[in-house]
Amino acid sequence: MGYQPIQLTDVQRQRFQDDGFLILENFLPIDLTQRLVERMEPLFHGKFETGIYPDEWHWRPGLSLPDVTREMCNGWKSDLTIASVVLSAEIGRLSATLAGWDGARIGQDSLWVKPPHASAIALHQDGAYIDYLEPAAMMTCWIALNDASAADGTLVYAKGSHKWDLIDVEGEFHAPSKDYRWAMLQAAEQAGVTEPELVVVEVPAGGCAFHHGRTWHGLCKTTRTEGVFNSMGLHTIPSKAQFHPTNPQGYIYGRYKRVGDTTMDESFFPILWTKDGYRSPHLATFCEDALLSRKATYSTV
């Protein structure tokens, strides 16, 4: 069965406003998730279909520990199957609708692979990493490419934590040596929350969750003894976002800022969807839109 466009209800929108996230059990059709899974192993072994390297590549075969959670950022630049989902207008439409933006562009993607006994990814706020943007706003669509459970090391949210301040607290990210909740617990204490409620995202393959850029989240430790768990996070930003004129852009994404110009180049940060119908023109020939190509008509919220 092909993709069916999601028309968000008032109840779903309110749930997102209250909780800081919205879980959708059925998002991608199973044949598409299988195609995405098939692309993960070649990517992490350095086989890049387009010939372009991703912006971040955490884990190397033969060099990295086997039980470390693997991450790659902006795999859409390296693989057209990955790009067909990351750059879908539907991702932009749903993200912008929940965030209340006029449109959305891609900030980056994150591809995740968790082998047996894989370490956790510390709870964190995406918004803590984007002070180089103006406005510093982000939405994430996390998609499970295999059936997701706590044993797989799935996504975990701190419910309502998007209402806490965006703060810089102590904590490690990859393979934290402490309790992976450590930084979140510090933030909760500062927010006056004594017992933060954690929600484990357990969905079938193709299920997803959208979350606010301030929502505390992470991947719990994998406890199963066999099999690999694949997922991907699609981080969108407002279509009108620009580089901050003074804040440092960092050693990775700062390379895309032109001298004396805060405009974000659509070659590297394509606009996925806007209310007035604009979408970066080059996307039409760069890759298939894996979601829109599966339905006869396109409808807006």
Side-chain angles (χ1 to χ4, degrees):
M1 181 178 179
Y3 172 80
Q4 298 297 315
I6 295 172
Q7 302 302 327
L8 295 168
T9 66
D10 291 340
V11 171
Q12 289 174 317
R13 297 188 201 199
Q14 188 60 53
R15 187 177 303 146
F16 175 81
Q17 295 299 321
D18 293 341
D19 298 343
F21 59 87
L22 177 66
I23 299 171
L24 303 174
E25 289 199 356
N26 299 293
F27 185 55
L28 297 188
I30 191 63
D31 64 313
L32 179 54
T33 64
Q34 292 169 345
R35 287 171 52 204
L36 292 166
V37 167
E38 290 170 358
R39 302 307 305 154
M40 300 290 260
E41 188 72 9
L43 277 170
F44 278 95
H45 282 76
K47 297 178 181 178
F48 304 135
E49 179 184 9
T50 65
I52 298 174
Y53 274 59
D55 284 305
E56 299 182 57
W57 182 9
H58 304 285
W59 191 85
R60 298 291 199 282
L63 295 176
S64 304
L65 295 173
D67 63 344
V68 172
T69 297
R70 309 172 190 178
E71 182 191 14
M72 181 174 289
C73 295
N74 282 339
W76 72 263
K77 298 179 180 180
S78 309
D79 187 273
L80 296 179
T81 301
I82 300 296
S84 72
V85 174
V86 174
L87 303 180
S88 175
E90 285 286 83
I91 299 296
R93 178 179 71 89
L94 292 168
S95 297
T97 299
L98 287 170
W101 303 335
D102 289 336
R105 67 167 79 211
I106 193 69
Q108 70 176 70
D109 65 43
S110 297
L111 308 181
W112 300 97
V113 177
K114 299 198 76 179
H117 304 296
S119 54
I121 296 297
L123 268 71
H124 60 282
Q125 293 170 296
D126 293 333
Y129 301 95
I130 56 170
D131 59 353
Y132 62 90
L133 297 177
E134 192 175 60
M138 178 175 282
M139 281 283 296
T140 296
C141 172
W142 178 85
I143 305 173
L145 301 182
N146 304 105
D147 292 344
S149 70
D152 299 302
T154 188
L155 191 66
V156 177
Y157 288 125
K159 190 174 182 178
S161 58
H162 64 305
K163 299 175 183 177
W164 307 350
D165 289 338
L166 184 66
I167 55 177
D168 184 15
V169 294
E170 177 188 354
E172 300 168 315
F173 190 74
H174 294 94
S177 57
K178 302 179 181 181
D179 183 338
Y180 83 116
R181 305 170 303 162
W182 177 255
M184 181 275 295
L185 292 173
Q186 290 186 65
E189 182 178 2
Q190 292 189 38
V193 179
T194 56
E195 295 185 10
E197 181 181 350
L198 297 185
V199 177
V200 178
V201 181
E202 296 187 300
V203 294
C208 78
F210 286 84
H211 68 253
H212 190 285
R214 288 175 176 251
T215 302
W216 281 88
H217 64 286
L219 298 174
C220 59
K221 181 178 175 58
T222 301
T223 58
R224 54 171 168 65
T225 58
E226 59 183 21
V228 173
F229 177 58
N230 300 273
S231 64
M232 59 195 301
L234 317 180
H235 308 290
T236 54
I237 58 180
S239 56
K240 296 179 181 178
Q242 296 188 328
F243 285 109
H244 193 282
T246 57
N247 286 354
Q249 278 75 48
Y251 79 100
I252 296 177
Y253 299 102
R255 72 187 67 172
Y256 300 114
K257 183 181 181 299
R258 295 187 289 262
V259 176
D261 185 357
T262 59
T263 303
M264 303 189 79
D265 193 318
E266 292 181 35
S267 298
F268 308 112
F269 304 96
I271 293 176
L272 308 183
W273 177 89
T274 64
K275 285 183 178 179
D276 61 10
Y278 181 80
R279 176 172 163 83
S280 293
H282 72 277
L283 295 181
T285 55
F286 178 68
C287 67
E288 172 192 30
D289 185 326
L291 300 185
L292 291 185
S293 65
R294 291 165 175 258
K295 59 190 182 70
T297 60
Y298 174 64
S299 56
T300 60
V301 173

